[in-house]
PDB file of all heavy atoms in Angstrom:
ATOM      1  N   ALA F  61       8.817   2.931 -13.782  1.00  0.00           N
ATOM      2  CA  ALA F  61       7.459   2.998 -13.236  1.00  0.00           C
ATOM      3  C   ALA F  61       7.038   4.428 -12.912  1.00  0.00           C
ATOM      4  O   ALA F  61       5.881   4.805 -13.113  1.00  0.00           O
ATOM      5  CB  ALA F  61       7.357   2.128 -11.989  1.00  0.00           C
ATOM      6  N   VAL F  62       7.965   5.252 -12.425  1.00  0.00           N
ATOM      7  CA  VAL F  62       7.594   6.601 -11.983  1.00  0.00           C
ATOM      8  C   VAL F  62       7.657   7.642 -13.091  1.00  0.00           C
ATOM      9  O   VAL F  62       6.994   8.680 -12.999  1.00  0.00           O
ATOM     10  CB  VAL F  62       8.439   7.070 -10.777  1.00  0.00           C
ATOM     11  CG1 VAL F  62       8.300   6.107  -9.617  1.00  0.00           C
ATOM     12  CG2 VAL F  62       9.884   7.279 -11.136  1.00  0.00           C
ATOM     13  N   GLN F  63       8.431   7.421 -14.138  1.00  0.00           N
ATOM     14  CA  GLN F  63       8.601   8.440 -15.184  1.00  0.00           C
ATOM     15  C   GLN F  63       7.279   8.936 -15.783  1.00  0.00           C
ATOM     16  O   GLN F  63       7.120  10.143 -15.959  1.00  0.00           O
ATOM     17  CB  GLN F  63       9.526   7.941 -16.292  1.00  0.00           C
ATOM     18  CG  GLN F  63      10.994   8.091 -15.986  1.00  0.00           C
ATOM     19  CD  GLN F  63      11.416   9.515 -15.686  1.00  0.00           C
ATOM     20  OE1 GLN F  63      10.838  10.486 -16.158  1.00  0.00           O
ATOM     21  NE2 GLN F  63      12.458   9.644 -14.882  1.00  0.00           N
ATOM     22  N   PRO F  64       6.313   8.058 -16.098  1.00  0.00           N
ATOM     23  CA  PRO F  64       5.058   8.580 -16.663  1.00  0.00           C
ATOM     24  C   PRO F  64       4.290   9.489 -15.710  1.00  0.00           C
ATOM     25  O   PRO F  64       3.432  10.248 -16.136  1.00  0.00           O
ATOM     26  CB  PRO F  64       4.242   7.314 -16.962  1.00  0.00           C
ATOM     27  CG  PRO F  64       5.220   6.205 -16.994  1.00  0.00           C
ATOM     28  CD  PRO F  64       6.336   6.599 -16.087  1.00  0.00           C
ATOM     29  N   CYS F  65       4.599   9.417 -14.424  1.00  0.00           N
ATOM     30  CA  CYS F  65       3.867  10.184 -13.424  1.00  0.00           C
ATOM     31  C   CYS F  65       4.554  11.491 -13.038  1.00  0.00           C
ATOM     32  O   CYS F  65       3.992  12.294 -12.302  1.00  0.00           O
ATOM     33  CB  CYS F  65       3.689   9.340 -12.165  1.00  0.00           C
ATOM     34  SG  CYS F  65       2.858   7.784 -12.454  1.00  0.00           S
ATOM     35  N   MET F  66       5.764  11.685 -13.494  1.00  0.00           N
ATOM     36  CA  MET F  66       6.550  12.830 -13.056  1.00  0.00           C
ATOM     37  C   MET F  66       6.209  14.078 -13.870  1.00  0.00           C
ATOM     38  O   MET F  66       6.189  14.032 -15.089  1.00  0.00           O
ATOM     39  CB  MET F  66       8.040  12.533 -13.186  1.00  0.00           C
ATOM     40  CG  MET F  66       8.519  11.370 -12.337  1.00  0.00           C
ATOM     41  SD  MET F  66       8.492  11.728 -10.583  1.00  0.00           S
ATOM     42  CE  MET F  66       9.815  12.905 -10.477  1.00  0.00           C
ATOM     43  N   GLY F  67       5.965  15.158 -13.170  1.00  0.00           N
ATOM     44  CA  GLY F  67       5.752  16.430 -13.826  1.00  0.00           C
ATOM     45  C   GLY F  67       7.071  17.058 -14.233  1.00  0.00           C
ATOM     46  O   GLY F  67       8.144  16.620 -13.819  1.00  0.00           O
ATOM     47  N   GLU F  68       6.968  18.094 -15.032  1.00  0.00           N
ATOM     48  CA  GLU F  68       8.177  18.783 -15.489  1.00  0.00           C
ATOM     49  C   GLU F  68       8.917  19.392 -14.304  1.00  0.00           C
ATOM     50  O   GLU F  68       8.315  20.003 -13.426  1.00  0.00           O
ATOM     51  CB  GLU F  68       7.802  19.888 -16.479  1.00  0.00           C
ATOM     52  CG  GLU F  68       8.994  20.484 -17.170  1.00  0.00           C
ATOM     53  CD  GLU F  68       8.579  21.463 -18.249  1.00  0.00           C
ATOM     54  OE1 GLU F  68       7.554  21.230 -18.894  1.00  0.00           O
ATOM     55  OE2 GLU F  68       9.292  22.463 -18.420  1.00  0.00           O
ATOM     56  N   ARG F  69      10.210  19.169 -14.245  1.00  0.00           N
ATOM     57  CA  ARG F  69      11.106  19.656 -13.200  1.00  0.00           C
ATOM     58  C   ARG F  69      10.797  19.079 -11.818  1.00  0.00           C
ATOM     59  O   ARG F  69      11.289  19.577 -10.810  1.00  0.00           O
ATOM     60  CB  ARG F  69      11.118  21.177 -13.158  1.00  0.00           C
ATOM     61  CG  ARG F  69      11.726  21.791 -14.404  1.00  0.00           C
ATOM     62  CD  ARG F  69      11.965  23.278 -14.260  1.00  0.00           C
ATOM     63  NE  ARG F  69      10.889  24.005 -13.622  1.00  0.00           N
ATOM     64  CZ  ARG F  69      10.015  24.786 -14.253  1.00  0.00           C
ATOM     65  NH1 ARG F  69      10.096  24.955 -15.537  1.00  0.00           N
ATOM     66  NH2 ARG F  69       9.074  25.416 -13.582  1.00  0.00           N
ATOM     67  N   ALA F  70       9.969  18.044 -11.739  1.00  0.00           N
ATOM     68  CA  ALA F  70       9.707  17.387 -10.452  1.00  0.00           C
ATOM     69  C   ALA F  70      10.939  16.588 -10.057  1.00  0.00           C
ATOM     70  O   ALA F  70      11.750  16.210 -10.898  1.00  0.00           O
ATOM     71  CB  ALA F  70       8.490  16.478 -10.558  1.00  0.00           C
ATOM     72  N   ARG F  71      11.064  16.357  -8.773  1.00  0.00           N
ATOM     73  CA  ARG F  71      12.205  15.592  -8.264  1.00  0.00           C
ATOM     74  C   ARG F  71      11.699  14.563  -7.272  1.00  0.00           C
ATOM     75  O   ARG F  71      11.016  14.904  -6.311  1.00  0.00           O
ATOM     76  CB  ARG F  71      13.194  16.530  -7.573  1.00  0.00           C
ATOM     77  CG  ARG F  71      14.452  15.829  -7.125  1.00  0.00           C
ATOM     78  CD  ARG F  71      15.463  16.823  -6.560  1.00  0.00           C
ATOM     79  NE  ARG F  71      16.705  16.176  -6.237  1.00  0.00           N
ATOM     80  CZ  ARG F  71      16.901  15.400  -5.172  1.00  0.00           C
ATOM     81  NH1 ARG F  71      15.923  15.178  -4.324  1.00  0.00           N
ATOM     82  NH2 ARG F  71      18.078  14.847  -4.953  1.00  0.00           N
ATOM     83  N   LEU F  72      12.044  13.313  -7.540  1.00  0.00           N
ATOM     84  CA  LEU F  72      11.658  12.224  -6.654  1.00  0.00           C
ATOM     85  C   LEU F  72      12.921  11.597  -6.092  1.00  0.00           C
ATOM     86  O   LEU F  72      13.822  11.214  -6.840  1.00  0.00           O
ATOM     87  CB  LEU F  72      10.854  11.165  -7.410  1.00  0.00           C
ATOM     88  CG  LEU F  72      10.451   9.922  -6.610  1.00  0.00           C
ATOM     89  CD1 LEU F  72       9.441  10.285  -5.523  1.00  0.00           C
ATOM     90  CD2 LEU F  72       9.879   8.861  -7.532  1.00  0.00           C
ATOM     91  N   ALA F  73      12.993  11.531  -4.770  1.00  0.00           N
ATOM     92  CA  ALA F  73      14.109  10.867  -4.096  1.00  0.00           C
ATOM     93  C   ALA F  73      13.553   9.639  -3.390  1.00  0.00           C
ATOM     94  O   ALA F  73      12.606   9.752  -2.602  1.00  0.00           O
ATOM     95  CB  ALA F  73      14.764  11.807  -3.093  1.00  0.00           C
ATOM     96  N   VAL F  74      14.107   8.473  -3.701  1.00  0.00           N
ATOM     97  CA  VAL F  74      13.635   7.220  -3.117  1.00  0.00           C
ATOM     98  C   VAL F  74      14.805   6.526  -2.432  1.00  0.00           C
ATOM     99  O   VAL F  74      15.815   6.240  -3.068  1.00  0.00           O
ATOM    100  CB  VAL F  74      13.043   6.273  -4.196  1.00  0.00           C
ATOM    101  CG1 VAL F  74      12.554   4.983  -3.559  1.00  0.00           C
ATOM    102  CG2 VAL F  74      11.937   6.949  -4.976  1.00  0.00           C
ATOM    103  N   ASP F  75      14.645   6.286  -1.137  1.00  0.00           N
ATOM    104  CA  ASP F  75      15.601   5.472  -0.399  1.00  0.00           C
ATOM    105  C   ASP F  75      14.982   4.097  -0.228  1.00  0.00           C
ATOM    106  O   ASP F  75      13.884   3.964   0.331  1.00  0.00           O
ATOM    107  CB  ASP F  75      15.900   6.070   0.978  1.00  0.00           C
ATOM    108  CG  ASP F  75      16.732   7.333   0.899  1.00  0.00           C
ATOM    109  OD1 ASP F  75      17.398   7.550  -0.141  1.00  0.00           O
ATOM    110  OD2 ASP F  75      16.706   8.111   1.867  1.00  0.00           O
ATOM    111  N   VAL F  76      15.654   3.084  -0.724  1.00  0.00           N
ATOM    112  CA  VAL F  76      15.188   1.708  -0.578  1.00  0.00           C
ATOM    113  C   VAL F  76      15.816   1.173   0.704  1.00  0.00           C
ATOM    114  O   VAL F  76      17.040   1.103   0.822  1.00  0.00           O
ATOM    115  CB  VAL F  76      15.572   0.844  -1.797  1.00  0.00           C
ATOM    116  CG1 VAL F  76      15.103  -0.582  -1.617  1.00  0.00           C
ATOM    117  CG2 VAL F  76      15.000   1.448  -3.073  1.00  0.00           C
ATOM    118  N   LEU F  77      14.959   0.818   1.666  1.00  0.00           N
ATOM    119  CA  LEU F  77      15.423   0.392   2.979  1.00  0.00           C
ATOM    120  C   LEU F  77      15.467  -1.125   3.124  1.00  0.00           C
ATOM    121  O   LEU F  77      16.233  -1.647   3.936  1.00  0.00           O
ATOM    122  CB  LEU F  77      14.529   0.990   4.065  1.00  0.00           C
ATOM    123  CG  LEU F  77      14.366   2.515   4.000  1.00  0.00           C
ATOM    124  CD1 LEU F  77      13.347   2.989   5.012  1.00  0.00           C
ATOM    125  CD2 LEU F  77      15.700   3.198   4.196  1.00  0.00           C
ATOM    126  N   ASP F  78      14.629  -1.829   2.372  1.00  0.00           N
ATOM    127  CA  ASP F  78      14.628  -3.289   2.415  1.00  0.00           C
ATOM    128  C   ASP F  78      14.017  -3.831   1.140  1.00  0.00           C
ATOM    129  O   ASP F  78      13.189  -3.162   0.506  1.00  0.00           O
ATOM    130  CB  ASP F  78      13.853  -3.805   3.625  1.00  0.00           C
ATOM    131  CG  ASP F  78      14.214  -5.242   4.004  1.00  0.00           C
ATOM    132  OD1 ASP F  78      15.058  -5.863   3.307  1.00  0.00           O
ATOM    133  OD2 ASP F  78      13.654  -5.751   4.986  1.00  0.00           O
TER     134      ASP F  78
END
Side-chain angles (χ1 to χ4, degrees):
V62 302
Q63 277 302 331
C65 303
M66 298 291 290
E68 190 174 325
R69 294 190 317 255
R71 185 175 185 285
L72 177 67
V74 180
D75 288 340
V76 179
L77 306 174
D78 200 359

